[in-house]
């Protein structure tokens, strides 16, 4: 592999990395917005109706995405440790959204560069190679979600504020491990759908580029066209 080929392959990998981060972050935001549908509403939940439970959970989403200084529930108490944990979660969410936007800008610029420098052909093949490995990793994470979820909290948070108790932070009865598992599964599915759609889009753009470069090229029968060209 010469220097130019190594550089272009590295840039192609960087493009796919940034594109993947953009899709991952966008899928997280979409999952967050639809996450009320993933709640399993417990019965006898401190006397709250299903609608009131949704409103309490909705305050979490609003807090994470807004400039509200504190998370305050209307019907449920929240201990200082729980309040601090939600503050930390909001910092992570905002950092992730900032990374998503930055990755989106970077991947967009690199995609335009790949198109201008005739390097777009590298991306679909690399992405097709990566998807099975990413799918396997996602499957393993889903199957071992409980352990991974616990380890994630231990690594990311330098305290035990994330260990809620029903007495001090009763909202934990809505934010069960089953809820977070469903959240993760939907997030993975949306990310996979986004990557697959990106692959299809890249392939479509490549076909259009080839047709524009060679008007007589029929992308559905490359072998036959190549044979015709050789006979000329």
């Amino acid at each position: 592999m010469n220097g130019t080929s190594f550089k272009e392959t590295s840039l192609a990998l960087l493009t796919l990395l940034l594109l993947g981060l953009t899709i991952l972050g966008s899928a997280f935001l979409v999952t967050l917005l639809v996450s009320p549908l993933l709640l399993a509403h417990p019965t006898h939940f401190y006397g709250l109706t299903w609608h009131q439970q949704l409103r309490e959970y909705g305050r979490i989403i609003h807090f994470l995405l807004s400039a509200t200084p504190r998370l305050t529930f209307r019907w449920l108490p929240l201990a200082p440790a729980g309040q601090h944990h939600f503050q930390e979660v909001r910092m992570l969410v905002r950092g992730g959204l900032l990374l998503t936007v930055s990755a989106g800008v970077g991947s967009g610029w690199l995609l335009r560069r790949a198109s201008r420098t005739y390097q777009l052909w590298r991306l679909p093949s690399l992405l097709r190679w990566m998807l099975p490995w990413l799918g396997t990793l996602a499957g393993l994470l889903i199957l071992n979600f409980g352990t991974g979820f616990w380890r994630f909290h231990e690594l990311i948070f330098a305290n035990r504020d994330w260990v809620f108790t029903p007495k001090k932070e009763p909202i934990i009865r809505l934010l069960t491990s089953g809820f977070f598992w469903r959240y993760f599964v939907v997030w993975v599915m949306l990310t996979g759908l986004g990557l697959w759609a990106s692959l299809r889009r890249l392939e479509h753009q490549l076909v259009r580029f080839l047709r524009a470069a060679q008007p007589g090229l029929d992308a559905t029968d490359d072998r036959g066209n190549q044979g015709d060209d050789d006979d000329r």
Side-chain angles (χ1 to χ4, degrees):
M1 180 183 292
N2 58 39
T4 301
S5 180
F6 177 79
K7 173 185 175 183
E8 294 300 337
T9 301
S10 299
L11 286 174
L13 289 171
L14 178 60
T15 302
L16 293 178
L17 173 62
L18 294 179
L19 180 62
L21 288 174
T22 304
I23 294 171
L24 188 70
S26 300
F28 178 87
L29 179 59
V30 172
T31 307
L32 178 63
L33 294 176
V34 303
S35 60
L37 301 175
L38 307 177
L39 293 172
H41 302 281
T43 58
H44 309 294
F45 185 70
Y46 304 98
L48 299 185
T49 65
W50 174 79
H51 178 67
Q52 289 171 328
Q53 293 174 36
L54 278 180
R55 290 180 63 183
E56 292 291 71
Y57 178 75
R59 288 183 172 86
I60 296 177
I61 298 178
H62 179 264
F63 172 76
L64 294 178
L65 300 178
S66 71
T68 304
R70 289 178 57 84
L71 173 61
T72 304
F73 295 117
R74 181 173 181 181
W75 295 284
L76 299 176
L78 183 62
Q83 179 70 238
H84 181 252
H85 178 64
F86 279 115
Q87 294 279 357
E88 291 183 314
V89 171
R90 179 162 73 171
M91 290 179 61
L92 287 176
V93 170
R94 289 186 173 183
L97 293 178
L98 179 60
L99 178 61
T100 300
V101 174
S102 302
V105 173
S107 62
W109 185 86
L110 286 172
L111 285 169
R112 288 193 295 271
R113 179 195 178 277
S115 180
R116 291 194 306 267
T117 57
Y118 309 103
Q119 298 297 321
L120 199 62
W121 60 272
R122 297 179 184 272
L123 300 177
S125 58
L126 283 172
L127 186 53
R128 279 194 299 268
W129 178 82
M130 293 168 62
L131 282 178
W133 294 99
L134 293 174
T136 301
L137 176 61
L140 291 174
L141 290 175
I142 289 174
L143 291 175
N144 297 278
F145 177 78
T147 301
F149 188 68
W150 188 272
R151 294 294 186 187
F152 170 81
H153 281 74
E154 289 184 330
L155 289 173
I156 296 299
F157 303 106
N159 52 60
R160 302 288 290 179
D161 291 347
W162 53 275
V163 182
F164 285 9
T165 61
K167 182 177 181 180
K168 295 182 178 180
E169 298 94 1
I171 193 65
I172 193 60
R173 290 190 58 197
L174 285 182
L175 306 179
T176 62
S177 58
F179 164 78
F180 285 111
W181 182 84
R182 290 188 293 274
Y183 190 110
F184 185 71
V185 169
V186 173
W187 183 16
V188 167
M189 291 176 61
L190 289 177
T191 301
L193 181 62
L195 290 172
W196 177 82
S198 297
L199 174 59
R200 298 293 295 175
R201 177 64 178 173
L202 287 170
E203 290 175 337
H204 179 68
Q205 287 181 328
L206 185 58
V207 169
R208 289 182 59 187
F209 175 80
L210 291 174
R211 285 176 174 171
Q214 302 182 43
L217 178 65
D218 183 357
T220 62
D221 189 8
D222 293 339
R223 188 183 304 172
N225 285 326
Q226 183 62 46
D228 293 340
D229 290 340
D230 290 342
D231 290 338
R232 289 192 182 96

